[in-house]
Amino acid sequence: MLRGGLAASAALAVPALSGAAPAQALGGRPGAAWGVQVGDVTDRGGTVWVRADRPARMVVETSATDSFRKVQRRRGPLLGPGTDYTGTVRLHGLPPGEQVHYRVVLEDADDPRRSGEPVEGTFRTAPGRRGDVRFVWSGDVAGQGWGINPDRGGYRVYDEMQRLDPDFFLHSGDTVYADGPLSTQVTLPDGSVWRNLVTEEKAKVAETLAEYRGNFRYNLLDENVRRFNAQVPIVVQWDDHEVVNNWYPGEILTDERYTERRADVLAARARRAFAEYFPVPTLRSDGAGRIYRRVSYGPLLDVFVLDMRTYRNANSDGLAPDDVHGVLGREQLAWLKRELQRSRAEWKVIASDMPLGLVVPDGTDVEAVAQGDPGAPLGRELQIAELLRHIKQRGITGTVWLTADVHHTSAQHYDPARAGFKDFAPFWEFVTGPLHAGAFPGSALDGTFGPERVFLKAPEAANVAPSQGFQFYGEVEIDGGSRELTVRLREEGGAVLFTKVLRPGLVGQ
């Protein structure tokens, strides 16, 4: 149900808000009002996602043209309540470097002759040879009480990113704020009123599987998001707000809003909903599998998607002289070292859900990697130091770190000449976001890895509303001829705030 008297048609095209009703209560044919999306596109395929409004068979048809005169047809799974009526089909054998048109047809579970209207989408496969690549990245959606506002036309930044026609979107985490209930109205400092579209699941913190599922459905109410998803593939990772703020394995919450206070229980439910609502081929719909993975987008780019949440140790002061698990866990760290060494891509983007040298506190403890001590590595810094040393010693070139999380945008250059830890090669880290959430002042820097902040844009106040500015995303463009990688930090409205061109093979640029 909708809260606060906001009509479902108010400025937005909104699908039915409840979960799928029993089949016998639904007339007509199966529908897919939540749209379609594609994830982890490579030079030969991708993973198509849909959600049905009732039990239905998922069928995907692909074509080289939008006329669909000649199609390849792939029968997918039967969608039912076990996956909240969501499902995916993995596409294989597609031509590299081509525009692919697809449509999802939902067949009635009892009568395949009865099918719904096809829902169409399109995407480009990665180039098979050296060619141009362009993508956008950001994170943090519907946080700090700022949800879908019909008065502003919803999440307008998605429409802006879509008009750039990127090859894919790297979502750097906090894809939802399951711990952030929405109210129907918020009075802004200037006396104006922000209105939120509010659903039943967004009126409280998420604890049950149904409530987590409702949080992932919420953002799909936005027409901008659904149009974006139908054109721009996603590479998605998660962070903390998909579960609860600053969580770590084994944590017992003290937040009185929760009746279930075991973070591990909440995380399992959230992970299952995350797996149901995003096309991540390394995850099963029940949440089994892993979020960290390598996505290869042609010969010039590999994206290494990290999971800094699932395997971390407990948040602490970060000053321990040893650290067994770190922020990645030993298994993920070993995987990252191995895959970076194996990669032959010119550029190796490390998609980190948290920044390296920015201090992100959790009360008196440390939430991210850095803890503010500029000396030798301690705590979680020890694991990052091990990784950076490996990159240098193995001669791995072209690493660039992209992240979000801190709700402002900045660019940092890391150099051992400035650092408390010296055994690494210089590199860049670029921070963006929020995409649609409260904006916050700039974070302090930690000198252990020698960061120099060359650009920062952030508000002076905390939790600045999206209508007041400071909503950010980044754009990365790789030139197929020169092989140069250009990073542009952008803000909602289209302005380019900062540009950095990185040249292949150069260290310390």
Side-chain angles (χ1 to χ4, degrees):
M1 62 176 287
L2 284 171
R3 301 289 182 90
L6 297 181
S9 60
L12 297 167
V14 179
L17 293 176
S18 64
Q24 63 268 23
L26 292 168
R29 299 171 183 268
W34 306 94
V36 290
Q37 58 181 321
V38 173
D40 287 26
V41 167
T42 66
D43 62 343
R44 293 291 182 177
T47 300
V48 178
W49 174 96
V50 77
R51 182 179 191 262
D53 64 356
R54 70 195 74 193
R57 173 74 62 182
M58 178 182 180
V59 178
V60 179
E61 297 176 341
T62 60
S63 175
T65 66
D66 58 6
S67 67
F68 289 94
R69 291 180 180 176
K70 184 178 180 181
V71 301
Q72 289 188 332
R73 184 176 173 88
R74 299 166 176 85
R75 285 178 61 80
L78 183 65
L79 312 181
T83 61
D84 202 29
Y85 303 91
T86 67
T88 61
V89 168
R90 184 69 181 170
L91 304 179
H92 299 280
L94 298 176
E98 297 290 339
Q99 195 74 31
V100 176
H101 299 271
Y102 71 94
R103 59 188 180 192
V104 177
V105 179
L106 296 175
E107 297 178 346
D108 188 284
D110 298 318
D111 184 359
R113 295 170 298 179
R114 291 173 53 83
S115 60
E117 288 293 323
V119 183
E120 297 183 8
T122 186
F123 63 93
R124 283 186 295 275
T125 52
R129 298 180 180 179
R130 202 170 78 186
D132 297 345
V133 177
R134 185 153 47 89
F135 68 93
V136 292
W137 96 95
S138 192
D140 312 293
V141 182
Q144 290 74 47
W146 314 111
I148 299 171
N149 184 346
D151 298 338
R152 298 187 75 235
Y155 300 155
R156 300 184 309 192
V157 69
Y158 276 87
D159 178 68
E160 187 174 307
M161 292 192 298
Q162 181 182 350
R163 283 186 268 113
L164 293 175
D165 194 26
D167 292 304
F168 63 90
F169 170 48
L170 170 60
H171 201 315
S172 301
D174 292 341
T175 57
V176 301
Y177 275 71
D179 58 340
L182 299 174
S183 56
T184 57
Q185 295 187 352
V186 181
T187 301
L188 301 176
D190 63 2
S192 62
V193 174
W194 174 284
R195 294 198 306 153
N196 281 318
L197 190 70
V198 183
T199 63
E200 181 177 353
E201 295 90 351
K202 287 300 297 177
K204 67 178 291 293
V205 296
E207 300 179 81
T208 67
L209 176 59
E211 289 166 349
Y212 280 109
R213 286 168 166 170
N215 271 262
F216 286 98
R217 278 198 303 272
Y218 178 80
N219 290 336
L220 295 176
L221 296 176
D222 187 275
E223 186 177 12
N224 302 296
V225 173
R226 298 197 304 276
R227 285 198 307 264
F228 181 84
N229 287 348
Q231 177 180 319
V232 183
I234 192 171
V235 175
V236 67
Q237 62 192 135
W238 77 343
D239 192 28
D240 56 337
H241 290 287
E242 286 83 359
V243 183
V244 61
N245 187 42
N246 295 350
W247 77 275
Y248 54 83
E251 181 183 10
I252 303 299
L253 306 183
T254 58
D255 189 333
E256 294 183 355
R257 297 177 301 171
Y258 287 84
T259 57
E260 174 55 73
R261 298 192 179 184
R262 293 169 293 175
D264 289 352
V265 173
L266 297 174
R269 295 167 181 169
R271 184 185 180 94
R272 177 170 174 177
F274 179 91
E276 291 171 343
Y277 275 84
F278 287 115
V280 180
T282 54
L283 280 178
R284 296 205 314 255
S285 58
D286 62 0
R290 54 183 171 84
I291 294 171
Y292 69 86
R293 61 201 188 277
R294 180 173 78 168
V295 181
S296 295
Y297 201 86
L300 292 181
L301 176 65
D302 279 347
V303 181
F304 298 84
V305 182
L306 303 189
D307 179 357
M308 288 182 154
R309 190 57 54 179
T310 303
Y311 313 100
R312 64 167 49 203
N313 51 10
N315 296 345
S316 70
D317 61 13
L319 298 175
D322 52 23
D323 195 331
V324 176
H325 296 289
V327 74
L328 298 173
R330 299 308 303 178
E331 183 176 332
Q332 183 177 189
L333 176 62
W335 165 85
L336 182 56
K337 288 179 177 180
R338 182 175 64 250
E339 293 301 312
L340 282 169
Q341 192 170 337
R342 288 176 176 175
S343 174
R344 295 297 176 262
E346 185 73 57
W347 296 102
K348 303 163 187 68
V349 165
I350 302 176
S352 172
D353 41 305
M354 302 203 77
L356 297 187
L358 279 62
V359 180
V360 184
D362 177 21
T364 59
D365 289 332
V366 174
E367 162 67 354
V369 174
Q371 80 292 72
D373 182 334
L378 295 169
R380 291 174 180 154
E381 293 173 338
L382 290 162
Q383 192 175 67
I384 300 303
E386 182 181 342
L387 172 63
L388 296 178
R389 181 188 296 114
H390 174 83
I391 291 172
K392 176 188 174 183
Q393 292 180 346
R394 298 292 180 172
I396 299 168
T397 60
T399 59
V400 179
W401 292 72
L402 302 182
T403 188
D405 182 71
V406 288
H407 296 235
H408 59 258
T409 188
S410 66
Q412 289 79 234
H413 181 249
Y414 291 78
D415 193 321
R418 296 186 295 263
F421 171 75
K422 305 291 187 181
D423 196 9
F424 70 98
F427 65 95
W428 282 88
E429 175 187 53
F430 300 96
V431 180
T432 191
L435 201 58
H436 185 95
F440 285 81
S443 303
L445 292 182
D446 181 310
T448 296
F449 301 119
E452 178 186 21
R453 180 181 280 146
V454 300
F455 175 78
L456 169 68
K457 184 168 184 179
E460 295 183 1
N463 195 18
V464 174
S467 57
Q468 307 304 304
F470 301 102
Q471 304 297 291
F472 306 112
Y473 60 98
E475 177 188 16
V476 175
E477 187 169 12
I478 303 174
D479 185 278
S482 67
R483 296 176 291 136
E484 291 179 344
L485 182 147
T486 301
V487 178
R488 300 181 185 93
L489 299 179
R490 293 178 172 267
E491 66 179 342
E492 183 179 349
V496 176
L497 304 173
F498 175 81
T499 300
K500 179 64 184 178
V501 179
L502 303 179
R503 294 175 174 81
L506 296 182
V507 176
Q509 52 191 322

